[in-house]
Amino acid sequence: MSGPLRIRAAVLRRMGGPLTVEGLLLEPPRAGEVLVRVAAAGVCHSDLHLAEGHLGTERQPIVLGHEGAGVVEATGEGVTHVRPGDRVGFCFVPACGACGQCRAGRTNLCETAGSHNARGVLGDGTTRLRFPDGGEVKHFLSVACFAERCVVPAAAAIPVPDRLPLWQAALVGCSVVTGIGAVRNAARVRVGDSVAVIGCGGVGVQVVAGAALAGAGRIVAVDRDPAKLELARSHGATDVVQAGDRAVHDVRKLTAGGADHAIEVVGRPETIRQAFAMIREGGIAVVVGIAPRGVDVPIPALDFISDKTLRGCFYGSGNVLAEMPSVVGMVASGRLRVSDVVSDVIGLDGVEEAFQRLRDGRGARSLVVLDSEAAGGP
Ligand SMILES: [Zn+2]
Ligand SMILES: [Zn+2]
């Protein structure tokens, strides 16, 4: 392959502005990179956070999308783990394996990938995306899959078994890995534990499912949307509680004085405070939700004398590369269900409306289908 490809992509030209579907030029993959024809992509709250300027204002213009799957079309020099024709899902922290965090096993916090992602560039510090007039366009989280095709670092392309439809594989790389990792690596839920889950959207419902797989006793789902509470129930929640001022009281009552774990998947000061208030003495509250830059959360400090823990969780707090194959396997075998999490199926031009649904808290996950044949559904 020689010259750049012409692709259509959803571009954010300025923070706070709308996404526009535009024709862009995509350069071929360089050494250590992979060109993927995107089949489907999930719309995540992090895409909206970036678009609203909540994650900093330095990365525009940029192609959004960080959860998706597709088919490899070409590989750059030195790529050996995938070949053209292989089906892959995306991992948005392509860990380098060599930095201090990677060597310590915390590949979700890879310093190299983190620095590239913060700048919207690929591994050599440049981008493969251009406007037709030559202006540079950035890649969101090394993936940029709200596009017909994308070039990603090799470590961002994870092989997917044939039996898993790509439209389902598309949801694994962010929401499923994050949800399962929060249970397994951050909260470390044990058989019989009680778990409260605040926010039951695309990620939250996978936290519920992960807690059920981990053998949690009581799983209390908290949300303001009755449809999401029903979805949580069908994924293993034993109890549901309406979000709001009484949620802490209700959860504490259902868990006989406080949950062993509360996992917050909203990213608001009120719900983070509530998560901390819902846990028993010695319990652990995990914050998965992302709050905008500059937001503080006041916590009753005296609670720390009762051995309570409040901790963060980024991308499942684990080694995604090592864990993703087993997670993909559980989805492929049906032990983890993603098929009913998709609430809206859209095209590239529907992402802006999907953002509005996220703002309103409507629907669990919008799925952008770019190639329905390759996606295999829904
Ligand atoms: Zn995400
Ligand atoms: Zn690293």
Side-chain angles (χ1 to χ4, degrees), residues 34-37 69-75 79-89 157-162 166:
V34 177
L35 169 68
V36 179
R37 189 174 81 248
V71 179
V72 174
E73 285 197 324
T75 55
V79 176
T80 54
H81 79 299
V82 289
R83 291 185 303 187
D86 284 356
R87 307 154 82 251
V88 294
I158 312 286
V160 167
D162 284 343
L166 287 180

mmCIF file with all atom_site columns, all heavy atoms in Angstrom, residues 34-37 69-75 79-89 157-162 166:
data_model
loop_
_atom_site.group_PDB
_atom_site.id
_atom_site.type_symbol
_atom_site.label_atom_id
_atom_site.label_alt_id
_atom_site.label_comp_id
_atom_site.label_asym_id
_atom_site.label_entity_id
_atom_site.label_seq_id
_atom_site.pdbx_PDB_ins_code
_atom_site.Cartn_x
_atom_site.Cartn_y
_atom_site.Cartn_z
_atom_site.occupancy
_atom_site.B_iso_or_equiv
_atom_site.pdbx_formal_charge
_atom_site.auth_seq_id
_atom_site.auth_comp_id
_atom_site.auth_asym_id
_atom_site.auth_atom_id
_atom_site.pdbx_PDB_model_num
ATOM 1   N N   . VAL A 1 34  ? -1.128  -1.120  12.853 1.00 0.00 ? 34  VAL A N   1
ATOM 2   C CA  . VAL A 1 34  ? -2.060  -1.986  12.144 1.00 0.00 ? 34  VAL A CA  1
ATOM 3   C C   . VAL A 1 34  ? -3.186  -1.127  11.558 1.00 0.00 ? 34  VAL A C   1
ATOM 4   O O   . VAL A 1 34  ? -3.710  -0.237  12.236 1.00 0.00 ? 34  VAL A O   1
ATOM 5   C CB  . VAL A 1 34  ? -2.671  -3.028  13.127 1.00 0.00 ? 34  VAL A CB  1
ATOM 6   C CG1 . VAL A 1 34  ? -3.692  -3.899  12.441 1.00 0.00 ? 34  VAL A CG1 1
ATOM 7   C CG2 . VAL A 1 34  ? -1.571  -3.889  13.743 1.00 0.00 ? 34  VAL A CG2 1
ATOM 8   N N   . LEU A 1 35  ? -3.542  -1.396  10.296 1.00 0.00 ? 35  LEU A N   1
ATOM 9   C CA  . LEU A 1 35  ? -4.696  -0.736  9.680  1.00 0.00 ? 35  LEU A CA  1
ATOM 10  C C   . LEU A 1 35  ? -5.911  -1.646  9.829  1.00 0.00 ? 35  LEU A C   1
ATOM 11  O O   . LEU A 1 35  ? -5.866  -2.832  9.468  1.00 0.00 ? 35  LEU A O   1
ATOM 12  C CB  . LEU A 1 35  ? -4.424  -0.480  8.196  1.00 0.00 ? 35  LEU A CB  1
ATOM 13  C CG  . LEU A 1 35  ? -5.635  -0.028  7.354  1.00 0.00 ? 35  LEU A CG  1
ATOM 14  C CD1 . LEU A 1 35  ? -6.106  1.371   7.755  1.00 0.00 ? 35  LEU A CD1 1
ATOM 15  C CD2 . LEU A 1 35  ? -5.301  -0.066  5.859  1.00 0.00 ? 35  LEU A CD2 1
ATOM 16  N N   . VAL A 1 36  ? -6.997  -1.108  10.390 1.00 0.00 ? 36  VAL A N   1
ATOM 17  C CA  . VAL A 1 36  ? -8.195  -1.902  10.647 1.00 0.00 ? 36  VAL A CA  1
ATOM 18  C C   . VAL A 1 36  ? -9.401  -1.269  9.959  1.00 0.00 ? 36  VAL A C   1
ATOM 19  O O   . VAL A 1 36  ? -9.618  -0.048  10.060 1.00 0.00 ? 36  VAL A O   1
ATOM 20  C CB  . VAL A 1 36  ? -8.475  -2.001  12.171 1.00 0.00 ? 36  VAL A CB  1
ATOM 21  C CG1 . VAL A 1 36  ? -9.733  -2.814  12.442 1.00 0.00 ? 36  VAL A CG1 1
ATOM 22  C CG2 . VAL A 1 36  ? -7.282  -2.611  12.901 1.00 0.00 ? 36  VAL A CG2 1
ATOM 23  N N   . ARG A 1 37  ? -10.184 -2.101  9.248  1.00 0.00 ? 37  ARG A N   1
ATOM 24  C CA  . ARG A 1 37  ? -11.482 -1.643  8.740  1.00 0.00 ? 37  ARG A CA  1
ATOM 25  C C   . ARG A 1 37  ? -12.473 -1.821  9.880  1.00 0.00 ? 37  ARG A C   1
ATOM 26  O O   . ARG A 1 37  ? -12.684 -2.932  10.365 1.00 0.00 ? 37  ARG A O   1
ATOM 27  C CB  . ARG A 1 37  ? -11.910 -2.475  7.524  1.00 0.00 ? 37  ARG A CB  1
ATOM 28  C CG  . ARG A 1 37  ? -13.135 -1.924  6.818  1.00 0.00 ? 37  ARG A CG  1
ATOM 29  C CD  . ARG A 1 37  ? -13.438 -2.685  5.542  1.00 0.00 ? 37  ARG A CD  1
ATOM 30  N NE  . ARG A 1 37  ? -14.151 -3.933  5.816  1.00 0.00 ? 37  ARG A NE  1
ATOM 31  C CZ  . ARG A 1 37  ? -13.653 -5.148  5.645  1.00 0.00 ? 37  ARG A CZ  1
ATOM 32  N NH1 . ARG A 1 37  ? -12.430 -5.326  5.204  1.00 0.00 ? 37  ARG A NH1 1
ATOM 33  N NH2 . ARG A 1 37  ? -14.382 -6.211  5.909  1.00 0.00 ? 37  ARG A NH2 1
ATOM 34  N N   . ALA A 1 69  ? -14.347 -2.739  17.152 1.00 0.00 ? 69  ALA A N   1
ATOM 35  C CA  . ALA A 1 69  ? -13.755 -3.961  16.601 1.00 0.00 ? 69  ALA A CA  1
ATOM 36  C C   . ALA A 1 69  ? -13.823 -3.888  15.086 1.00 0.00 ? 69  ALA A C   1
ATOM 37  O O   . ALA A 1 69  ? -14.644 -3.157  14.520 1.00 0.00 ? 69  ALA A O   1
ATOM 38  C CB  . ALA A 1 69  ? -14.509 -5.197  17.106 1.00 0.00 ? 69  ALA A CB  1
ATOM 39  N N   . GLY A 1 70  ? -12.966 -4.665  14.438 1.00 0.00 ? 70  GLY A N   1
ATOM 40  C CA  . GLY A 1 70  ? -12.956 -4.642  12.978 1.00 0.00 ? 70  GLY A CA  1
ATOM 41  C C   . GLY A 1 70  ? -12.057 -5.731  12.419 1.00 0.00 ? 70  GLY A C   1
ATOM 42  O O   . GLY A 1 70  ? -11.706 -6.688  13.102 1.00 0.00 ? 70  GLY A O   1
ATOM 43  N N   . VAL A 1 71  ? -11.689 -5.543  11.150 1.00 0.00 ? 71  VAL A N   1
ATOM 44  C CA  . VAL A 1 71  ? -10.903 -6.546  10.434 1.00 0.00 ? 71  VAL A CA  1
ATOM 45  C C   . VAL A 1 71  ? -9.597  -5.905  9.972  1.00 0.00 ? 71  VAL A C   1
ATOM 46  O O   . VAL A 1 71  ? -9.600  -4.824  9.383  1.00 0.00 ? 71  VAL A O   1
ATOM 47  C CB  . VAL A 1 71  ? -11.693 -7.076  9.216  1.00 0.00 ? 71  VAL A CB  1
ATOM 48  C CG1 . VAL A 1 71  ? -10.871 -8.114  8.458  1.00 0.00 ? 71  VAL A CG1 1
ATOM 49  C CG2 . VAL A 1 71  ? -13.032 -7.659  9.659  1.00 0.00 ? 71  VAL A CG2 1
ATOM 50  N N   . VAL A 1 72  ? -8.484  -6.594  10.254 1.00 0.00 ? 72  VAL A N   1
ATOM 51  C CA  . VAL A 1 72  ? -7.166  -6.080  9.873  1.00 0.00 ? 72  VAL A CA  1
ATOM 52  C C   . VAL A 1 72  ? -7.056  -6.061  8.354  1.00 0.00 ? 72  VAL A C   1
ATOM 53  O O   . VAL A 1 72  ? -7.367  -7.051  7.674  1.00 0.00 ? 72  VAL A O   1
ATOM 54  C CB  . VAL A 1 72  ? -6.050  -6.970  10.472 1.00 0.00 ? 72  VAL A CB  1
ATOM 55  C CG1 . VAL A 1 72  ? -4.674  -6.532  9.944  1.00 0.00 ? 72  VAL A CG1 1
ATOM 56  C CG2 . VAL A 1 72  ? -6.098  -6.919  11.993 1.00 0.00 ? 72  VAL A CG2 1
ATOM 57  N N   . GLU A 1 73  ? -6.617  -4.918  7.801  1.00 0.00 ? 73  GLU A N   1
ATOM 58  C CA  . GLU A 1 73  ? -6.415  -4.812  6.353  1.00 0.00 ? 73  GLU A CA  1
ATOM 59  C C   . GLU A 1 73  ? -4.943  -4.781  5.965  1.00 0.00 ? 73  GLU A C   1
ATOM 60  O O   . GLU A 1 73  ? -4.588  -5.172  4.854  1.00 0.00 ? 73  GLU A O   1
ATOM 61  C CB  . GLU A 1 73  ? -7.113  -3.549  5.812  1.00 0.00 ? 73  GLU A CB  1
ATOM 62  C CG  . GLU A 1 73  ? -8.619  -3.728  5.733  1.00 0.00 ? 73  GLU A CG  1
ATOM 63  C CD  . GLU A 1 73  ? -9.275  -2.702  4.839  1.00 0.00 ? 73  GLU A CD  1
ATOM 64  O OE1 . GLU A 1 73  ? -8.822  -1.535  4.807  1.00 0.00 ? 73  GLU A OE1 1
ATOM 65  O OE2 . GLU A 1 73  ? -10.264 -3.050  4.178  1.00 0.00 ? 73  GLU A OE2 1
ATOM 66  N N   . ALA A 1 74  ? -4.107  -4.281  6.846  1.00 0.00 ? 74  ALA A N   1
ATOM 67  C CA  . ALA A 1 74  ? -2.669  -4.220  6.551  1.00 0.00 ? 74  ALA A CA  1
ATOM 68  C C   . ALA A 1 74  ? -1.907  -4.079  7.861  1.00 0.00 ? 74  ALA A C   1
ATOM 69  O O   . ALA A 1 74  ? -2.455  -3.587  8.856  1.00 0.00 ? 74  ALA A O   1
ATOM 70  C CB  . ALA A 1 74  ? -2.361  -3.026  5.640  1.00 0.00 ? 74  ALA A CB  1
ATOM 71  N N   . THR A 1 75  ? -0.661  -4.531  7.848  1.00 0.00 ? 75  THR A N   1
ATOM 72  C CA  . THR A 1 75  ? 0.175   -4.386  9.048  1.00 0.00 ? 75  THR A CA  1
ATOM 73  C C   . THR A 1 75  ? 1.486   -3.720  8.656  1.00 0.00 ? 75  THR A C   1
ATOM 74  O O   . THR A 1 75  ? 1.988   -3.897  7.552  1.00 0.00 ? 75  THR A O   1
ATOM 75  C CB  . THR A 1 75  ? 0.490   -5.755  9.687  1.00 0.00 ? 75  THR A CB  1
ATOM 76  O OG1 . THR A 1 75  ? 1.080   -6.596  8.697  1.00 0.00 ? 75  THR A OG1 1
ATOM 77  C CG2 . THR A 1 75  ? -0.776  -6.422  10.212 1.00 0.00 ? 75  THR A CG2 1
ATOM 78  N N   . VAL A 1 79  ? 5.059   -6.264  12.772 1.00 0.00 ? 79  VAL A N   1
ATOM 79  C CA  . VAL A 1 79  ? 3.833   -6.739  13.439 1.00 0.00 ? 79  VAL A CA  1
ATOM 80  C C   . VAL A 1 79  ? 3.663   -8.221  13.127 1.00 0.00 ? 79  VAL A C   1
ATOM 81  O O   . VAL A 1 79  ? 3.591   -8.605  11.954 1.00 0.00 ? 79  VAL A O   1
ATOM 82  C CB  . VAL A 1 79  ? 2.596   -5.954  12.967 1.00 0.00 ? 79  VAL A CB  1
ATOM 83  C CG1 . VAL A 1 79  ? 1.322   -6.530  13.595 1.00 0.00 ? 79  VAL A CG1 1
ATOM 84  C CG2 . VAL A 1 79  ? 2.736   -4.478  13.303 1.00 0.00 ? 79  VAL A CG2 1
ATOM 85  N N   . THR A 1 80  ? 3.629   -9.043  14.172 1.00 0.00 ? 80  THR A N   1
ATOM 86  C CA  . THR A 1 80  ? 3.579   -10.490 13.937 1.00 0.00 ? 80  THR A CA  1
ATOM 87  C C   . THR A 1 80  ? 2.330   -11.153 14.517 1.00 0.00 ? 80  THR A C   1
ATOM 88  O O   . THR A 1 80  ? 2.008   -12.274 14.136 1.00 0.00 ? 80  THR A O   1
ATOM 89  C CB  . THR A 1 80  ? 4.809   -11.174 14.564 1.00 0.00 ? 80  THR A CB  1
ATOM 90  O OG1 . THR A 1 80  ? 4.872   -10.799 15.946 1.00 0.00 ? 80  THR A OG1 1
ATOM 91  C CG2 . THR A 1 80  ? 6.088   -10.748 13.865 1.00 0.00 ? 80  THR A CG2 1
ATOM 92  N N   . HIS A 1 81  ? 1.634   -10.499 15.442 1.00 0.00 ? 81  HIS A N   1
ATOM 93  C CA  . HIS A 1 81  ? 0.549   -11.206 16.143 1.00 0.00 ? 81  HIS A CA  1
ATOM 94  C C   . HIS A 1 81  ? -0.782  -11.177 15.385 1.00 0.00 ? 81  HIS A C   1
ATOM 95  O O   . HIS A 1 81  ? -1.700  -11.900 15.735 1.00 0.00 ? 81  HIS A O   1
ATOM 96  C CB  . HIS A 1 81  ? 0.378   -10.664 17.568 1.00 0.00 ? 81  HIS A CB  1
ATOM 97  C CG  . HIS A 1 81  ? -0.378  -9.370  17.640 1.00 0.00 ? 81  HIS A CG  1
ATOM 98  N ND1 . HIS A 1 81  ? 0.070   -8.221  17.027 1.00 0.00 ? 81  HIS A ND1 1
ATOM 99  C CD2 . HIS A 1 81  ? -1.544  -9.034  18.235 1.00 0.00 ? 81  HIS A CD2 1
ATOM 100 C CE1 . HIS A 1 81  ? -0.788  -7.252  17.251 1.00 0.00 ? 81  HIS A CE1 1
ATOM 101 N NE2 . HIS A 1 81  ? -1.777  -7.711  17.978 1.00 0.00 ? 81  HIS A NE2 1
ATOM 102 N N   . VAL A 1 82  ? -0.888  -10.325 14.373 1.00 0.00 ? 82  VAL A N   1
ATOM 103 C CA  . VAL A 1 82  ? -2.098  -10.327 13.530 1.00 0.00 ? 82  VAL A CA  1
ATOM 104 C C   . VAL A 1 82  ? -1.693  -10.183 12.066 1.00 0.00 ? 82  VAL A C   1
ATOM 105 O O   . VAL A 1 82  ? -0.618  -9.652  11.754 1.00 0.00 ? 82  VAL A O   1
ATOM 106 C CB  . VAL A 1 82  ? -3.088  -9.191  13.896 1.00 0.00 ? 82  VAL A CB  1
ATOM 107 C CG1 . VAL A 1 82  ? -3.756  -9.453  15.235 1.00 0.00 ? 82  VAL A CG1 1
ATOM 108 C CG2 . VAL A 1 82  ? -2.395  -7.825  13.893 1.00 0.00 ? 82  VAL A CG2 1
ATOM 109 N N   . ARG A 1 83  ? -2.589  -10.660 11.184 1.00 0.00 ? 83  ARG A N   1
ATOM 110 C CA  . ARG A 1 83  ? -2.351  -10.572 9.731  1.00 0.00 ? 83  ARG A CA  1
ATOM 111 C C   . ARG A 1 83  ? -3.604  -10.019 9.074  1.00 0.00 ? 83  ARG A C   1
ATOM 112 O O   . ARG A 1 83  ? -4.696  -10.072 9.667  1.00 0.00 ? 83  ARG A O   1
ATOM 113 C CB  . ARG A 1 83  ? -2.078  -11.972 9.175  1.00 0.00 ? 83  ARG A CB  1
ATOM 114 C CG  . ARG A 1 83  ? -0.754  -12.559 9.626  1.00 0.00 ? 83  ARG A CG  1
ATOM 115 C CD  . ARG A 1 83  ? -0.502  -13.889 8.932  1.00 0.00 ? 83  ARG A CD  1
ATOM 116 N NE  . ARG A 1 83  ? -1.597  -14.830 9.173  1.00 0.00 ? 83  ARG A NE  1
ATOM 117 C CZ  . ARG A 1 83  ? -1.576  -16.105 8.794  1.00 0.00 ? 83  ARG A CZ  1
ATOM 118 N NH1 . ARG A 1 83  ? -0.532  -16.576 8.132  1.00 0.00 ? 83  ARG A NH1 1
ATOM 119 N NH2 . ARG A 1 83  ? -2.595  -16.907 9.042  1.00 0.00 ? 83  ARG A NH2 1
ATOM 120 N N   . PRO A 1 84  ? -3.476  -9.525  7.836  1.00 0.00 ? 84  PRO A N   1
ATOM 121 C CA  . PRO A 1 84  ? -4.672  -9.051  7.135  1.00 0.00 ? 84  PRO A CA  1
ATOM 122 C C   . PRO A 1 84  ? -5.754  -10.138 7.134  1.00 0.00 ? 84  PRO A C   1
ATOM 123 O O   . PRO A 1 84  ? -5.459  -11.316 6.926  1.00 0.00 ? 84  PRO A O   1
ATOM 124 C CB  . PRO A 1 84  ? -4.155  -8.759  5.724  1.00 0.00 ? 84  PRO A CB  1
ATOM 125 C CG  . PRO A 1 84  ? -2.729  -8.382  5.929  1.00 0.00 ? 84  PRO A CG  1
ATOM 126 C CD  . PRO A 1 84  ? -2.242  -9.261  7.057  1.00 0.00 ? 84  PRO A CD  1
ATOM 127 N N   . GLY A 1 85  ? -6.989  -9.723  7.384  1.00 0.00 ? 85  GLY A N   1
ATOM 128 C CA  . GLY A 1 85  ? -8.096  -10.667 7.448  1.00 0.00 ? 85  GLY A CA  1
ATOM 129 C C   . GLY A 1 85  ? -8.452  -11.076 8.872  1.00 0.00 ? 85  GLY A C   1
ATOM 130 O O   . GLY A 1 85  ? -9.548  -11.567 9.126  1.00 0.00 ? 85  GLY A O   1
ATOM 131 N N   . ASP A 1 86  ? -7.520  -10.858 9.829  1.00 0.00 ? 86  ASP A N   1
ATOM 132 C CA  . ASP A 1 86  ? -7.812  -11.213 11.222 1.00 0.00 ? 86  ASP A CA  1
ATOM 133 C C   . ASP A 1 86  ? -8.837  -10.249 11.817 1.00 0.00 ? 86  ASP A C   1
ATOM 134 O O   . ASP A 1 86  ? -8.877  -9.066  11.475 1.00 0.00 ? 86  ASP A O   1
ATOM 135 C CB  . ASP A 1 86  ? -6.533  -11.146 12.073 1.00 0.00 ? 86  ASP A CB  1
ATOM 136 C CG  . ASP A 1 86  ? -5.625  -12.340 11.845 1.00 0.00 ? 86  ASP A CG  1
ATOM 137 O OD1 . ASP A 1 86  ? -6.021  -13.245 11.081 1.00 0.00 ? 86  ASP A OD1 1
ATOM 138 O OD2 . ASP A 1 86  ? -4.523  -12.354 12.422 1.00 0.00 ? 86  ASP A OD2 1
ATOM 139 N N   . ARG A 1 87  ? -9.661  -10.782 12.718 1.00 0.00 ? 87  ARG A N   1
ATOM 140 C CA  . ARG A 1 87  ? -10.652 -9.957  13.407 1.00 0.00 ? 87  ARG A CA  1
ATOM 141 C C   . ARG A 1 87  ? -10.061 -9.508  14.734 1.00 0.00 ? 87  ARG A C   1
ATOM 142 O O   . ARG A 1 87  ? -9.501  -10.324 15.474 1.00 0.00 ? 87  ARG A O   1
ATOM 143 C CB  . ARG A 1 87  ? -11.930 -10.774 13.632 1.00 0.00 ? 87  ARG A CB  1
ATOM 144 C CG  . ARG A 1 87  ? -12.439 -11.390 12.331 1.00 0.00 ? 87  ARG A CG  1
ATOM 145 C CD  . ARG A 1 87  ? -13.255 -12.648 12.557 1.00 0.00 ? 87  ARG A CD  1
ATOM 146 N NE  . ARG A 1 87  ? -14.629 -12.320 12.896 1.00 0.00 ? 87  ARG A NE  1
ATOM 147 C CZ  . ARG A 1 87  ? -15.157 -12.471 14.089 1.00 0.00 ? 87  ARG A CZ  1
ATOM 148 N NH1 . ARG A 1 87  ? -14.449 -12.963 15.070 1.00 0.00 ? 87  ARG A NH1 1
ATOM 149 N NH2 . ARG A 1 87  ? -16.413 -12.139 14.297 1.00 0.00 ? 87  ARG A NH2 1
ATOM 150 N N   . VAL A 1 88  ? -10.210 -8.216  15.047 1.00 0.00 ? 88  VAL A N   1
ATOM 151 C CA  . VAL A 1 88  ? -9.616  -7.681  16.280 1.00 0.00 ? 88  VAL A CA  1
ATOM 152 C C   . VAL A 1 88  ? -10.586 -6.758  17.006 1.00 0.00 ? 88  VAL A C   1
ATOM 153 O O   . VAL A 1 88  ? -11.455 -6.134  16.406 1.00 0.00 ? 88  VAL A O   1
ATOM 154 C CB  . VAL A 1 88  ? -8.304  -6.884  15.994 1.00 0.00 ? 88  VAL A CB  1
ATOM 155 C CG1 . VAL A 1 88  ? -7.213  -7.804  15.460 1.00 0.00 ? 88  VAL A CG1 1
ATOM 156 C CG2 . VAL A 1 88  ? -8.565  -5.731  15.019 1.00 0.00 ? 88  VAL A CG2 1
ATOM 157 N N   . GLY A 1 89  ? -10.414 -6.699  18.329 1.00 0.00 ? 89  GLY A N   1
ATOM 158 C CA  . GLY A 1 89  ? -11.071 -5.690  19.147 1.00 0.00 ? 89  GLY A CA  1
ATOM 159 C C   . GLY A 1 89  ? -9.995  -4.730  19.640 1.00 0.00 ? 89  GLY A C   1
ATOM 160 O O   . GLY A 1 89  ? -8.805  -5.085  19.669 1.00 0.00 ? 89  GLY A O   1
ATOM 161 N N   . ALA A 1 157 ? -4.540  -3.785  19.069 1.00 0.00 ? 157 ALA A N   1
ATOM 162 C CA  . ALA A 1 157 ? -5.364  -4.706  18.266 1.00 0.00 ? 157 ALA A CA  1
ATOM 163 C C   . ALA A 1 157 ? -5.307  -6.101  18.875 1.00 0.00 ? 157 ALA A C   1
ATOM 164 O O   . ALA A 1 157 ? -4.283  -6.787  18.788 1.00 0.00 ? 157 ALA A O   1
ATOM 165 C CB  . ALA A 1 157 ? -4.861  -4.727  16.826 1.00 0.00 ? 157 ALA A CB  1
ATOM 166 N N   . ILE A 1 158 ? -6.393  -6.513  19.511 1.00 0.00 ? 158 ILE A N   1
ATOM 167 C CA  . ILE A 1 158 ? -6.446  -7.792  20.228 1.00 0.00 ? 158 ILE A CA  1
ATOM 168 C C   . ILE A 1 158 ? -7.255  -8.787  19.388 1.00 0.00 ? 158 ILE A C   1
ATOM 169 O O   . ILE A 1 158 ? -8.424  -8.515  19.075 1.00 0.00 ? 158 ILE A O   1
ATOM 170 C CB  . ILE A 1 158 ? -7.162  -7.630  21.598 1.00 0.00 ? 158 ILE A CB  1
ATOM 171 C CG1 . ILE A 1 158 ? -6.616  -6.422  22.360 1.00 0.00 ? 158 ILE A CG1 1
ATOM 172 C CG2 . ILE A 1 158 ? -7.090  -8.925  22.404 1.00 0.00 ? 158 ILE A CG2 1
ATOM 173 C CD1 . ILE A 1 158 ? -5.258  -6.603  22.952 1.00 0.00 ? 158 ILE A CD1 1
ATOM 174 N N   . PRO A 1 159 ? -6.680  -9.946  19.032 1.00 0.00 ? 159 PRO A N   1
ATOM 175 C CA  . PRO A 1 159 ? -7.415  -10.920 18.219 1.00 0.00 ? 159 PRO A CA  1
ATOM 176 C C   . PRO A 1 159 ? -8.710  -11.377 18.900 1.00 0.00 ? 159 PRO A C   1
ATOM 177 O O   . PRO A 1 159 ? -8.769  -11.515 20.122 1.00 0.00 ? 159 PRO A O   1
ATOM 178 C CB  . PRO A 1 159 ? -6.426  -12.086 18.103 1.00 0.00 ? 159 PRO A CB  1
ATOM 179 C CG  . PRO A 1 159 ? -5.087  -11.471 18.312 1.00 0.00 ? 159 PRO A CG  1
ATOM 180 C CD  . PRO A 1 159 ? -5.299  -10.360 19.298 1.00 0.00 ? 159 PRO A CD  1
ATOM 181 N N   . VAL A 1 160 ? -9.724  -11.576 18.072 1.00 0.00 ? 160 VAL A N   1
ATOM 182 C CA  . VAL A 1 160 ? -11.052 -11.983 18.553 1.00 0.00 ? 160 VAL A CA  1
ATOM 183 C C   . VAL A 1 160 ? -11.398 -13.318 17.882 1.00 0.00 ? 160 VAL A C   1
ATOM 184 O O   . VAL A 1 160 ? -11.221 -13.462 16.675 1.00 0.00 ? 160 VAL A O   1
ATOM 185 C CB  . VAL A 1 160 ? -12.097 -10.908 18.146 1.00 0.00 ? 160 VAL A CB  1
ATOM 186 C CG1 . VAL A 1 160 ? -13.516 -11.409 18.322 1.00 0.00 ? 160 VAL A CG1 1
ATOM 187 C CG2 . VAL A 1 160 ? -11.874 -9.624  18.923 1.00 0.00 ? 160 VAL A CG2 1
ATOM 188 N N   . PRO A 1 161 ? -11.886 -14.317 18.650 1.00 0.00 ? 161 PRO A N   1
ATOM 189 C CA  . PRO A 1 161 ? -12.217 -15.608 18.037 1.00 0.00 ? 161 PRO A CA  1
ATOM 190 C C   . PRO A 1 161 ? -13.388 -15.490 17.064 1.00 0.00 ? 161 PRO A C   1
ATOM 191 O O   . PRO A 1 161 ? -14.259 -14.630 17.221 1.00 0.00 ? 161 PRO A O   1
ATOM 192 C CB  . PRO A 1 161 ? -12.588 -16.500 19.234 1.00 0.00 ? 161 PRO A CB  1
ATOM 193 C CG  . PRO A 1 161 ? -12.942 -15.564 20.334 1.00 0.00 ? 161 PRO A CG  1
ATOM 194 C CD  . PRO A 1 161 ? -12.155 -14.308 20.105 1.00 0.00 ? 161 PRO A CD  1
ATOM 195 N N   . ASP A 1 162 ? -13.398 -16.384 16.065 1.00 0.00 ? 162 ASP A N   1
ATOM 196 C CA  . ASP A 1 162 ? -14.420 -16.334 15.012 1.00 0.00 ? 162 ASP A CA  1
ATOM 197 C C   . ASP A 1 162 ? -15.840 -16.418 15.544 1.00 0.00 ? 162 ASP A C   1
ATOM 198 O O   . ASP A 1 162 ? -16.773 -15.887 14.944 1.00 0.00 ? 162 ASP A O   1
ATOM 199 C CB  . ASP A 1 162 ? -14.200 -17.480 14.009 1.00 0.00 ? 162 ASP A CB  1
ATOM 200 C CG  . ASP A 1 162 ? -13.030 -17.178 13.087 1.00 0.00 ? 162 ASP A CG  1
ATOM 201 O OD1 . ASP A 1 162 ? -12.627 -16.003 13.022 1.00 0.00 ? 162 ASP A OD1 1
ATOM 202 O OD2 . ASP A 1 162 ? -12.517 -18.119 12.452 1.00 0.00 ? 162 ASP A OD2 1
ATOM 203 N N   . LEU A 1 166 ? -18.470 -9.433  15.641 1.00 0.00 ? 166 LEU A N   1
ATOM 204 C CA  . LEU A 1 166 ? -17.688 -8.210  15.886 1.00 0.00 ? 166 LEU A CA  1
ATOM 205 C C   . LEU A 1 166 ? -18.507 -7.114  16.564 1.00 0.00 ? 166 LEU A C   1
ATOM 206 O O   . LEU A 1 166 ? -17.961 -6.299  17.303 1.00 0.00 ? 166 LEU A O   1
ATOM 207 C CB  . LEU A 1 166 ? -17.066 -7.705  14.579 1.00 0.00 ? 166 LEU A CB  1
ATOM 208 C CG  . LEU A 1 166 ? -15.884 -8.535  14.062 1.00 0.00 ? 166 LEU A CG  1
ATOM 209 C CD1 . LEU A 1 166 ? -15.351 -7.947  12.755 1.00 0.00 ? 166 LEU A CD1 1
ATOM 210 C CD2 . LEU A 1 166 ? -14.767 -8.611  15.100 1.00 0.00 ? 166 LEU A CD2 1
#
